[in-house]
Amino acid sequence: MIRNATAGDAAQIVAIYNHYVLDTHITFEETVVSAADMSLRIADVQQALPWLVHESAGVIDGYCYATKWRSRAAYRYAVETTVYLRQESAGRGIGMLLYEQLLERLRAVGVHVAIGGIAIPNAASIALHERCGFVKVAHFPQVGWKFDRWIDVGYWQLTMDDAHLP
């Protein structure tokens, strides 16, 4: 089941996210996030954009959300998308289900461009984005420093239909 995230989901979401913080270069955060902080992040995003979870039998398998791409007004039709899965849930199609629902909701609120930033290497995330129609538009070498090494970041972009232009 895919549904809107709630503040009550924060503990399960940080259980998923903090693995990526502590054990991977996927996120550039370096300190764990508390459930209280995650609850605030969820509420902040949901003021304007979706934050979704995939849940089975009361367990959150993954989540995705969108944030403003940049703060200047001209960027108001562009968002950055994010998806994270519980380790045990990878490879089961949950990321695709989440992204399909997220993109549908973004189209409904008039988003024109979705952008996915990916710390490289990350073959699974690249494959997911490309299956969803995103194309690589940028590669920034050595822009992140984590685990005593430089990390590249690539950006993939999906241009939505123009049905919701102002």
Side-chain angles (χ1 to χ4, degrees):
M1 172 177 77
I2 295 175
R3 60 172 175 76
N4 291 325
T6 68
D9 296 325
Q12 287 193 66
I13 289 172
V14 295
I16 294 168
Y17 184 63
N18 284 335
H19 154 71
Y20 292 96
V21 172
L22 294 174
D23 301 324
T24 78
H25 68 274
I26 302 302
T27 176
F28 285 0
E29 283 199 74
E30 296 179 312
T31 57
V32 295
V33 177
S34 72
D37 286 339
M38 187 59 75
S39 180
L40 293 173
R41 290 180 188 191
I42 294 167
D44 184 52
V45 165
Q46 288 180 330
Q47 289 180 34
L49 293 164
W51 186 310
L52 307 174
V53 297
H54 182 282
E55 181 181 34
S56 349
V59 175
I60 294 176
D61 300 303
Y63 65 95
C64 67
Y65 61 92
T67 56
K68 293 179 184 179
W69 169 243
R70 296 281 185 261
S71 62
R72 298 202 198 298
Y75 292 117
R76 68 187 169 276
Y77 298 106
V79 299
E80 184 168 6
T81 58
T82 302
V83 61
Y84 287 98
L85 300 176
R86 181 178 301 284
Q87 283 182 277
E88 304 81 27
S89 300
R92 294 179 24 211
I94 293 168
M96 185 71 153
L97 292 171
L98 281 164
Y99 248 33
E100 287 172 348
Q101 185 65 223
L102 180 67
L103 295 171
E104 182 179 311
R105 292 185 188 203
L106 293 173
R107 282 183 183 97
V109 297
V111 169
H112 180 63
V113 171
I115 301 163
I118 303 172
I120 299 172
N122 187 340
S125 187
I126 291 168
L128 171 62
H129 283 83
E130 290 180 351
R131 276 194 311 272
C132 290
F134 287 70
V135 294
K136 188 173 185 181
V137 294
H139 187 115
F140 298 104
Q142 301 181 5
V143 295
W145 178 261
K146 189 172 179 182
F147 302 136
D148 297 320
R149 68 180 181 98
W150 291 109
I151 301 164
D152 294 2
V153 173
Y155 282 94
W156 276 254
Q157 176 178 316
L158 174 66
T159 303
M160 315 272 211
D161 69 67
D162 292 333
H164 301 288
L165 287 177

